[in-house]
Amino acid sequence: MDVEKVFHMTGGVGETSYSKNSSLQKKASDMVKHITLETVEEVYLATKPKSIGIADLGCSSGPNTLSNIKDILDKIEGTSRNIFQQSAPEFRVFLNDLPTNDFNSIFQALPEFHHWLKQKGNDHENRGTSKIYVAAYPGSFYGRLFPDNCLHFIYSSYSLHWLSRVPRGLYDEQGNSLNKNSIYISEHSPSEVSKAYFNQFKEDFSLFLQSRSDELVNGGKMVLILLGREGFNHVDRGNSFFWKILYQALQNLISKGDVEKEKLDSYEVHFYAPCKEEIEEITRKNGCFEVERLEMFEIEKTIGKGMSYGTMVAMTVRSIQESMVAHHFGEAIVEGLFKEYGRLVDEEMAKEDIRPITFLLVLRKP
């Protein structure tokens, strides 16, 4: 399966879209927003550019994208006004995701964004609207995207746990899966499976770091938010457990005749939840960046719109995984699969809490 051609968040603004089901990601980015904005300010004060280059990698198509840009723009404008007593620099904003991303939704929201800029400019005496130029950069961030030394700040939220491909090492010489009782790393997986996943993450993350180092100016920084795990054990009641539940939901559809066992045996996800030690090791060996912060946190579990936590998780996972599931199993199973998935999440939560881990990583190019 060519991940770059198939994988994308569900576009549009419908009930199952990523735009309507990304509140968990928004909550996480808001929890660490003060660190993101502090980092942006530090870069601006250190480099003092007349034109500042900012990239959002894995921007997707929901409301979170332009909301993040608004916060960053506000922070830099405030710093310019309060410290330098001058107008803000011009902003070059690059929004990146895979070519299958719904970039149209982002650009349809730009007129409202520019109206907000104009209104904000009118709220301050003797200050015009900031010059901001927004462009889409479709393509995989596992490789070069931008010219040398053109960026000052890079932001990526909930993207780097997605691998560039399903790891090659998951299959034998005949192309058969070594992980037939799981779709990710589980207690049933042979040791080769976790090694294959880690090796793919190491390859991808190293390439990501090298590419971004070429594109950032000296003193430029990155804020990266990604899913992970606590400690070296892959099997826990964290992010890996959500994949175990999805596998169980697919198994339940086999018993109903909705999914073929052979189809399930050949399905693997292109995901990896690293631990803190793995992130540190890869970054150190790569040598392109200094680690300024590496913090672990959990999102507070809240329920809205009269739905259960399991239903909320199922809607979120569906908005992310529907393209992959439909491509492999067919669209007919999607509705029933995620209904069953939500039921199983609620069932498990009633037994014991599920604790997905998120990492915040701040890196500086020396």
Side-chain angles (χ1 to χ4, degrees):
M1 183 189 299
D2 189 337
V3 167
E4 191 168 336
K5 291 182 179 178
V6 176
F7 182 55
H8 61 85
M9 309 296 108
T10 302
V13 292
E15 288 304 310
T16 62
S17 67
Y18 184 79
S19 179
K20 287 286 181 71
N21 295 283
S22 53
S23 61
L24 293 174
Q25 293 88 333
K26 172 65 173 170
K27 186 180 293 185
S29 63
D30 283 349
M31 285 177 66
V32 295
K33 181 167 69 175
H34 63 291
I35 297 175
T36 300
L37 297 182
E38 285 172 11
T39 305
V40 168
E41 183 178 50
E42 288 165 359
V43 171
Y44 179 55
L45 291 173
T47 59
K48 303 179 181 65
K50 293 182 178 179
S51 176
I52 186 167
I54 298 167
D56 184 340
L57 306 185
C59 66
S60 191
S61 57
N64 299 349
T65 302
L66 293 181
S67 174
N68 293 331
I69 299 303
K70 285 181 181 179
D71 291 335
I72 291 171
L73 188 146
D74 259 348
K75 185 65 174 179
I76 294 178
E77 282 193 336
T79 301
S80 295
R81 189 169 60 252
N82 298 328
I83 296 181
F84 297 133
Q85 286 80 50
Q86 64 183 32
S87 59
E90 69 174 14
F91 293 84
R92 293 172 286 113
V93 178
F94 307 110
L95 305 178
N96 158 261
D97 214 312
L98 294 175
T100 47
N101 184 55
D102 184 11
F103 285 104
N104 283 339
S105 292
I106 299 174
F107 284 99
Q108 286 167 3
L110 278 179
E112 182 180 344
F113 177 70
H114 285 295
H115 177 72
W116 170 82
L117 280 177
K118 186 176 181 180
Q119 290 297 110
K120 190 166 65 69
N122 292 336
D123 289 341
H124 297 281
E125 294 182 3
N126 303 318
R127 190 166 67 92
T129 303
S130 294
K131 295 179 181 178
I132 178 168
Y133 305 95
V134 181
Y137 262 66
S140 172
F141 50 52
Y142 294 123
R144 287 295 298 273
L145 287 167
F146 309 102
D148 287 348
N149 306 310
C150 73
L151 298 176
H152 297 82
F153 179 72
I154 292 172
Y155 179 79
S156 181
S157 180
Y158 282 88
S159 296
L160 279 162
H161 43 254
W162 297 113
L163 302 174
S164 65
R165 55 169 295 140
V166 174
R168 300 176 186 86
L170 294 181
Y171 305 97
D172 62 21
E173 294 179 356
Q174 288 73 43
N176 299 314
S177 174
L178 303 174
N179 199 30
K180 289 186 178 180
N181 295 313
S182 307
I183 58 175
Y184 181 55
I185 305 166
S186 76
E187 64 269 25
H188 305 295
S189 303
S191 60
E192 291 84 358
V193 169
S194 57
K195 290 177 184 176
Y197 271 107
F198 172 66
N199 287 338
Q200 187 63 53
F201 177 76
K202 180 167 62 174
E203 177 185 320
D204 285 346
F205 192 48
S206 297
L207 181 57
F208 176 88
L209 293 174
Q210 183 61 59
S211 300
R212 304 295 81 81
S213 175
D214 292 337
E215 296 161 355
L216 278 167
V217 301
N218 292 338
K221 296 187 181 185
M222 296 196 290
V223 170
L224 311 176
I225 302 170
L226 68 157
L227 294 174
R229 71 186 195 277
E230 188 174 6
F232 287 100
N233 191 359
H234 290 279
V235 182
D236 58 13
R237 288 184 73 88
N239 291 299
S240 66
F241 197 73
F242 282 122
W243 293 115
K244 181 177 180 178
I245 296 174
L246 185 59
Y247 178 78
Q248 182 61 57
L250 286 163
Q251 273 194 317
N252 291 352
L253 293 190
I254 290 178
S255 64
K256 296 177 182 179
D258 296 332
V259 170
E260 299 175 8
K261 186 177 186 305
E262 292 74 16
K263 280 282 188 181
L264 180 53
D265 286 344
S266 62
Y267 189 63
E268 314 288 347
V269 297
H270 67 294
F271 171 92
Y272 186 73
C275 65
K276 178 180 179 181
E277 291 80 5
E278 289 170 342
I279 294 172
E280 289 175 329
E281 177 194 6
I282 295 169
T283 305
R284 179 181 57 78
K285 287 185 176 179
N286 178 267
C288 294
F289 289 93
E290 297 172 351
V291 178
E292 290 198 336
R293 300 179 83 143
L294 178 51
E295 300 181 8
M296 182 178 72
F297 65 98
E298 294 181 52
I299 306 172
E300 181 183 351
K301 296 177 177 65
T302 55
I303 303 167
K305 302 179 183 177
M307 65 175 66
S308 70
Y309 178 72
T311 301
M312 188 175 184
V313 170
M315 293 291 284
T316 300
V317 174
R318 176 177 178 173
S319 72
I320 297 168
Q321 279 291 292
E322 183 169 354
S323 62
M324 303 296 283
V325 169
H327 178 81
H328 189 83
F329 296 101
E331 294 182 2
I333 76 158
V334 170
E335 194 70 36
L337 172 65
F338 288 102
K339 184 176 181 180
E340 176 68 3
Y341 180 72
R343 185 188 71 80
L344 291 174
V345 171
D346 281 332
E347 189 177 274
E348 287 295 336
M349 285 291 291
K351 299 175 187 175
E352 186 183 344
D353 196 16
I354 303 172
R355 298 177 55 243
I357 296 299
T358 298
F359 284 117
L360 167 79
L361 179 61
V362 179
L363 300 176
R364 177 183 177 274
K365 178 183 173 180

